[in-house]
Structure formats: C-alpha cells, structure tokens
Amino acid sequence: MSNNDNIKWYVIRTYSAYEAFVQKNIEKMVENHNLQDFIFNVSIPTEQVIVEKNGKRKVVERKKFPGYVYIKMIYTDQLGYLIRTIRGASGFVGPEGKPLPLTIEEVKRIGLEKIYEADFHVEVGDNVRIVSGPLETFLATVEEIYPDKEKVKVVVQMFGRQTPVELEYSQIEKINN
C-alpha cells in the first residue's frame, strides 16, 4: 500500500489577518526540519473580485476564506503539535480540535488543486451540469474541448439566449441521458 492514501488536505484556523504569517512559518518549518516528505503544500485560496472605489472599478485579490490556511500533508500528532505552536495558528478544524481531512469534493469545490477523474470523458454535443463557479447548477452543452488547457467551451441558456462559457474540466460533470 502506498503512502499516498495518507496525504490529505487539512484546514488550520488562524487569528484574523495572520494567514500569510502562519503560511510563511509553516513553510520555514518544512525547510528547517526537512519535512518535504510530510508537508506538500500550504495554501491560502484567493479569488478576484471587482470593487468600486471613488466611482472607479478595479479587480482585487481577496482571500476566499479569511481566517483559514489549507495544508496538504501526512498528518502525525508531532506535526500537528508543531503547527499548533505557530504564533497566529489556533488549531485544526475538526471535532474537538482533532484534524478532519477534507473530502475530494471539498478540495475540488474550494479549488485547492485540480483533481481529474480518470474517467473524464465528454465529447462535443454532450450535455453537462456546471458543478462550481458562478454558473453552478446550470445545464450546458459542450461546444469545444481544449485538452492542452484541460478546459471546455460550453453553451449555457441564459437570459433567453445561448451564451458561450469556458470552464475547467473540474467545473463540469456529464449528464447521462
């Protein structure tokens, strides 16, 4: 059995505005203690939003989940202890502070990493359901497939007309007719 089954994403709760501080300190800890075989990624998911200030619109990067840092790791009690002692980290998310790993669906929904199903087969003309993003739950028809970018162009019926939209593979699921 491979160790890959033990590699999971966990959520660390942080004090307000301490996300980057906690992330940097975990990355330093990985470097200083040679933990590359246990901690694989530390992430603060962000999104781009349009804000209006003084009548001008601009796009800004904003934390999707303020107060949380995501970590892909092989959890051990010792690592859990080291992470909890980092200033600004208040512990793991889970029942009674016991770290609860995220499910694959949660990892996909949050956008922590692209997870491709080996059985991802859609063809031009297939009907699909959009499973994440602003058009979540919309039904669409595949118009083009871009395997190099792992994206598809779909047509969505919106506001009474056909609207083409480009999506990542992970944002759609095939509807079996």
Side-chain angles (χ1 to χ4, degrees), residues 56-121:
K56 288 195 171 83
R57 286 179 164 203
K58 68 177 195 176
V59 177
V60 295
E61 193 99 347
R62 187 173 71 188
K63 292 179 194 106
K64 275 188 183 177
F65 309 100
Y68 296 97
V69 171
Y70 294 80
I71 183 168
K72 185 179 186 178
M73 66 185 291
I74 297 171
Y75 183 85
T76 66
D77 289 339
Q78 186 182 2
L79 283 177
Y81 173 77
L82 285 173
I83 290 165
R84 277 189 208 80
T85 61
I86 290 173
R87 196 162 59 92
S90 65
F92 285 87
V93 172
E96 294 154 32
K98 288 187 180 75
L100 187 67
L102 296 174
T103 65
I104 287 176
E105 286 70 33
E106 289 168 326
V107 170
K108 283 196 321 198
R109 199 169 46 242
I110 292 166
L112 289 168
E113 62 184 316
K114 294 177 179 174
I115 295 173
Y116 303 109
E117 274 80 66
D119 63 349
F120 182 84
H121 298 300

Side-chain angles (χ1 to χ4, degrees), residues 5 9 14 18 21 23 31 36 38 64 67 69-70 80-81 89 108 115-116 120 138 140 144 150 172 177:
D5 298 340
W9 281 97
T14 70
Y18 267 83
F21 182 81
Q23 179 186 32
E31 224 170 88
Q36 294 83 351
F38 296 94
K64 275 188 183 177
V69 171
Y70 294 80
Y81 173 77
K108 283 196 321 198
I115 295 173
Y116 303 109
F120 182 84
F138 274 74
E144 289 181 54
E150 297 182 333
I172 64 166
N177 296 342

